[in-house]
Structures are given as structure tokens and as C-alpha cells.
Amino acid sequence: MRRLPIYLLVLASLALFFSASAGANEAPAPDAPFKPDVGANQGVAIFAGGCFWCVEEAFDQVEGVVSTTSGYTGGHLADPSYRDVTAETSGHAEAVKVVYKTDEVDYATLLDTFWHNIDPTDDGGQFCDRGDSYRSEIFYVNDAQKKAAEQSKRALQDDPDAPSPIVTEIVAATTFYPAEDYHQNYYNKNPLRYKFYRSSCRRDAVLEKRWGAAAGGHH
């Protein structure tokens, strides 16, 4: 058998090495199961409730929340941009990833905050923002969250004083893509523009109509 020159063997080995490395570093697919990236005594919750600027603000006010990140999830396009998502071609929703201290706040409290900051009866978007990318949705990251979310939804459906019908979906969390930097913490970085947007979108007016004194949840 004829042997290959040593330099060809070295090149072949290097090619295999870099190919394996590239595969190991490859980004997860859009529909890959979400993997929580937090340490001990912390949890992750993901919610979509229309404009992620507003959802961020709501959860930032909850004691025990460590951080909030605006982003995109639930679609089929890898690494989407804001333009991709709002064009309604990526399948993603504007969403917020909430990192929280599990010994300071529980998932049930986060669910309560979520419900009272959205219009769960709207299946065409949220408030003035229309389209599937502005849908309301709960993305559970484990079975315990799924069970808690389903129980909270049933409780609202059985409550004669709650908005009806509840159309918010509960689905398994998949890859979460952080949004562009200018979207992060937008309500603090651009307070005047944010307040004008929120007011003109009638978000607070609709929340009060749907939830009354409970609008806004646990702040």
C-alpha cells in the first residue's frame, strides 16, 4: 500500500480538527431547546407580551429580578434582526428573558406580573402593535414552569372577574436571541420617547380596562 507523504497526513489531521471545532462552536438552531445560562439559586423565565421595552420595565420593578434582556424567540430564522422580526417573516416574537433569584421571588409571582401587564384576550398583537411578532406567549424552560403556567392560565379562565377569553399560548422555550443593544433598557435610556410611545399606544389605559386596580401586577 502506498503511503501518503507526511505533510498530507498533517494537513488532513488539521482539517479534521478544525471541522470538529467548528461543529462544537456552532450556534444552536432556532428551534433548539432553550438551555438556562444562570448559576445556582437563579432561574430564567421567558415571556412575550408585545413591545419588549414595556415588558422589560414591568419585570425590572419586581424584587428578586436580577436582569431582563429584550430579544427574539419562538421562530424559524437563525440570528434574526429587529427588521426580520417586525417584517413578520421570521416567526419570532418580541420577548424578554428574566433572570431571577429563586430564594427571593418565585415563578408564580412572575406569572402574575406577566398576566397583569398584557391583554391576554388579544390574538392579533398587543395594544397598538399588531402582528404575530407582538403576540403574548409564555415560554417555559422546564416541566415545573409548564405546570405552573398552565395552572395560572386555568385559574384566570375560571375567574369571572378576569379578562376573557384567554388566548395567550404556553409553549416550550427555544433558542433566545438578544435584541440589538439600543433596545436593551430602552425605557431608561430614552425616557421621553418611551413615555410618548407607551401613552400613544394606550397600553396603560387598556391594562386598566382589562384588570382594573390589579393592572401592572406586583411592582
Side-chain angles (χ1 to χ4, degrees), residues 3 13 35 37 46 60 71 81 96 99 108 112 135 140 170-171 175 183 185 189 194-195 203 211 213:
R3 294 184 178 181
S13 298
K35 295 182 179 180
D37 49 353
I46 301 176
D60 277 344
S81 67
V96 171
V99 177
D112 194 66
R135 64 189 182 269
Y140 61 84
I170 299 169
V171 302
T175 301
H183 285 302
N185 204 30
K189 293 188 291 189
Y194 173 73
K195 289 177 181 177
R203 191 174 185 112
W211 297 104

Side-chain angles (χ1 to χ4, degrees), residues 90-155:
S90 74
H92 291 287
E94 286 197 11
V96 171
K97 181 177 74 171
V98 181
V99 177
Y100 60 99
K101 296 180 181 179
T102 54
D103 57 350
E104 292 186 22
V105 62
D106 58 17
Y107 187 64
T109 299
L110 299 181
L111 285 168
D112 194 66
T113 298
F114 168 72
W115 289 120
H116 291 96
N117 277 280
I118 66 164
D119 178 0
T121 69
D122 191 345
D123 62 359
Q126 286 288 290
F127 311 100
C128 68
D129 294 314
R130 313 313 300 161
D132 190 56
S133 63
Y134 293 107
R135 64 189 182 269
S136 65
E137 200 156 12
I138 298 171
F139 299 91
Y140 61 84
V141 304
N142 54 43
D143 289 341
Q145 286 191 0
K146 178 183 180 182
K147 182 178 180 180
E150 290 174 342
Q151 288 177 339
S152 70
K153 182 176 179 178
R154 282 195 298 270

Side-chain angles (χ1 to χ4, degrees), residues 33-80:
F34 177 79
K35 295 182 179 180
D37 49 353
V38 294
N41 302 319
Q42 291 188 339
V44 177
I46 301 176
F47 302 104
C51 173
F52 44 26
W53 302 341
C54 301
V55 179
E56 246 195 33
E57 183 193 20
F59 282 102
D60 277 344
Q61 297 180 58
V62 177
E63 186 174 353
V65 167
V66 176
S67 67
T68 55
T69 304
S70 288
Y72 315 115
T73 194
H76 54 78
L77 182 67
D79 197 21

Side-chain angles (χ1 to χ4, degrees), residues 151-171:
Q151 288 177 339
S152 70
K153 182 176 179 178
R154 282 195 298 270
L156 289 177
Q157 290 171 326
D158 294 339
D159 183 351
D161 296 324
S164 179
I166 304 293
V167 299
T168 302
E169 296 292 333
I170 299 169
V171 302

